[in-house]
Amino acid sequence: SRQVLLLGGETSHSGPEHYVGKDHKLYTLCADTLTWQQHCSTVDTNAAASSCSRMQALTCNPCARVLHMAELRPSSTTQREEIVMVGGISESGLADMHPWVLDTETMRWRVHIVSL
């Protein structure tokens, strides 16, 4: 079925002056039934441990962020669809530029460490 994926964003605000926080949860909207489902996806904690805090790795998702970029593409290794997400603004400022990849079948995140 067709789905829309939503990764967090800003929460509980009525304008820029009443900003409350960011949400890191992953949601899908089934386009056929118009029903939402919240996912507690899993993260590859071995990869995440090298670029993220332990607390962030335990949240099951990349850190909460807004204004990030994401792209749907076929995986070069599995040929399944995956979403690559990078950048944005997190609670502590600019999010790191390590790309996070979500396998859309397993809903499992992995992070790629980029050397600059």
Side-chain angles (χ1 to χ4, degrees), residues 3 5 26 69-86 99-112:
Q3 295 182 345
L5 277 81
L26 177 68
M69 299 294 294
E71 173 78 21
L72 178 67
R73 69 175 192 182
S75 168
S76 59
T77 56
T78 66
Q79 297 307 309
R80 296 191 300 234
E81 288 186 330
E82 63 185 15
I83 295 176
V84 179
M85 181 190 67
V86 66
W100 283 84
V101 180
L102 176 69
D103 181 315
T104 59
E105 282 188 33
T106 65
M107 294 300 189
R108 183 179 175 98
W109 286 101
R110 67 184 186 280
V111 63
H112 290 275

Side-chain angles (χ1 to χ4, degrees), residues 2-79:
R2 299 173 304 135
Q3 295 182 345
V4 174
L5 277 81
L6 172 69
L7 175 62
E10 294 182 341
T11 60
S12 301
H13 67 85
S14 58
E17 67 280 0
H18 295 101
Y19 172 76
V20 173
K22 292 180 177 64
D23 182 358
H24 69 272
K25 297 177 189 83
L26 177 68
Y27 304 89
T28 55
L29 172 66
C30 176
D32 299 326
T33 63
L34 297 180
T35 55
W36 286 98
Q37 179 179 0
Q38 179 183 332
H39 296 273
C40 183
S41 61
T42 57
V43 69
D44 182 342
T45 53
N46 291 330
S50 59
S51 70
C52 307
S53 70
R54 179 171 164 72
M55 181 57 76
Q56 180 180 330
L58 293 175
T59 65
C60 301
N61 295 311
C63 66
R65 61 187 74 200
V66 295
L67 302 174
H68 52 278
M69 299 294 294
E71 173 78 21
L72 178 67
R73 69 175 192 182
S75 168
S76 59
T77 56
T78 66
Q79 297 307 309

Side-chain angles (χ1 to χ4, degrees), residues 89-100:
I89 299 173
S90 68
E91 298 257 80
S92 59
L94 291 177
D96 65 43
M97 293 302 287
H98 299 299
W100 283 84

Side-chain angles (χ1 to χ4, degrees), residues 96-99 113-116:
D96 65 43
M97 293 302 287
H98 299 299
I113 306 307
V114 177
S115 299
L116 300 176

